[in-house]
Amino acid sequence: MAKNSWRLLLVCLILGLMPGMSQQAALADSDYYTAGVVEFRQSILSASAWSDSLEGYVEIIHSENASATDIIVFPESTLNSVGSTTFVPNPDDQINPCLSDPNATYYEEFLVTLSCAARNASKYIVINLTEKQKCTDVPEDTRPCASNGLNVFNTNVVFDRQGVVVSRYRKVHLYGEAKNNTYLPELITFETDFGVTFGHFICFDILFYQPAHQLVVEQGITDFVYPAMWFSQLPFLTAVQTQQGWAYANDVNLLASGASRPSIGNSGSGIYHGRSGTLTSVMRQDSGERTIYVAQVPKYTRSISLQKRVRRSTPEIKTRQVASSSSFYMKRDYVQNYESDLLQIDQGISGTINRTICQGSFCCNFDIAWRSLESTVQNGSYYSYRLGTYDGWRNEQQVDANYIRNCALFTCSGDSIDDCGTLLPTEGALQQPRVAFTRLVIEVTYPESREFLLIPDTLKDNLLPLEPNQFEWSQQKPHEDSYVHEVRFALKESQEVSNLLTFAIYGNYYDNECTFGVGTEEEQLACGYRSGSSGLTILGGWLTMPLVILVITWNRA
């Protein structure tokens, strides 16, 4: 009896000394974790801007809205600048700046302060900062070094609940930034005490295979932290549109945090649960904000039946705000390079169209129906629509390029292609939809490639996308030995939409290497495409029979 009492006492002492053990076990066993992403408006750059941002960061970390979170993600480039760079500990060294450098004699004050904030709040904190590193710390990098002996990186830093730096990622694909790339691209993940392993990348990285898509394909990562200062671009690459589409296509959890200054094109934060869609998101259309958005995120390690029991945050009900050129600065894609047709919509008349548009051998089939909406506003302004196909490189200068194959319905502020990819200048009731789409179907056969990602890409006039319960998406091979993917993207039959800006399939082929049908026969064989196989040898060949049928139909008409 005495022996058993001593054993019980010993167990109680151990539990008392390590109260976090049972809490961590409970977190790891939970069906979900609670995440917060921060939409953050940085002060106008000045000598005191970074201290104001730091104060804002700490206030959010300790706010009531953040109290339930396990992990908080802050956006890109809203904390410090090249004028206030800091060294960052190597995560392998498990350094806690709050404890090891409390007077900020080696690390900058903001890094120490945020380490302490993570420790005091007992949360994982993800920040993005401008990092400095001594060139001599990377002797294998033989590239020329700056005169001050420092590399400067765009870097994510992760603190654990104790304030220890447990992960560091340096941006691979810079967007016109006067910073360094790493000697070799980084592929970084970190583990948490709530049983989830995260990958991370930054802003422009999302459009490339390495590291974002690579982490999904090669390491099976299902959860990502994603700081961004995104400059939205119509019609295919606004912030939340891109975030949700990427998370859906990869079927992963994405915690995306955005800088918030709509006047220069920055806004867009959200939490997304793969094929289930958006848990919470925002696209501001005013002066920006400093706000945390919180959601319970189902874990992919649990069964679907358990995921369905997770309580999601209830989105705040707001009056729908229609975007205009005065409420949000928008960049424009080079849609004049698309092969496109104006969709003829006559006022007061409903209509249908079934049309195939090709650029070279790449073809997209559109099946569309709409009903006319009666206008109640005199001198109102309306979008027109175009159908477009593109097969080529993204035409954006002085940044890393990616190859795309797109099929799209998109809006224009006039009837010319030069009017496309812009918002209307009018706001509120003066901006009226002319039609409600009752059927939207895009069907296309895409070539297989070594690295590619096909994404449902939608946008409404409030700058938010359609949700997965509003559309249907299928991507499959005709048979196992085929080297093509048949894709069908459609508005659900029970749905109609009147406030649409974009409905597209965004085919991202990255560097377009080892793409079926591209290159010589020798190159195709080297990529593993067998000569004379059942894969199609001409990408447009699948259209032959439908086109013959259409010709016969037109002749009879």
Side-chain angles (χ1 to χ4, degrees), residues 144-221:
C145 182
S147 58
N148 62 1
L150 297 173
N151 289 319
V152 177
F153 299 108
N154 181 332
T155 303
N156 285 348
V157 177
V158 183
F159 302 102
D160 71 5
R161 296 185 195 270
Q162 301 303 313
V164 176
V165 173
V166 293
S167 189
R168 177 187 66 193
Y169 165 75
R170 292 158 176 166
K171 189 176 182 181
V172 174
H173 300 282
L174 301 175
Y175 193 80
E177 304 154 63
K179 297 177 184 178
N180 296 86
N181 293 105
T182 56
Y183 174 57
L184 294 174
E186 296 184 332
L187 202 63
I188 304 296
T189 63
F190 63 95
E191 296 178 358
T192 61
D193 62 6
F194 48 91
V196 174
T197 297
F198 287 90
H200 48 150
F201 52 94
I202 301 167
C203 203
F204 196 40
D205 286 335
I206 201 171
L207 295 185
F208 299 90
Y209 181 77
Q210 190 178 54
H213 193 187
Q214 184 180 12
L215 284 166
V216 180
V217 174
E218 299 182 15
Q219 296 195 17
I221 301 300

Side-chain angles (χ1 to χ4, degrees), residues 232 262 265-267 283-284 324-330 423 463:
S232 284
N266 294 153
S267 182
M283 282 288 284
R284 301 295 303 186
S324 70
S325 57
S326 60
S327 68
F328 200 104
Y329 173 77
M330 194 70 66
L423 293 171
L463 303 184

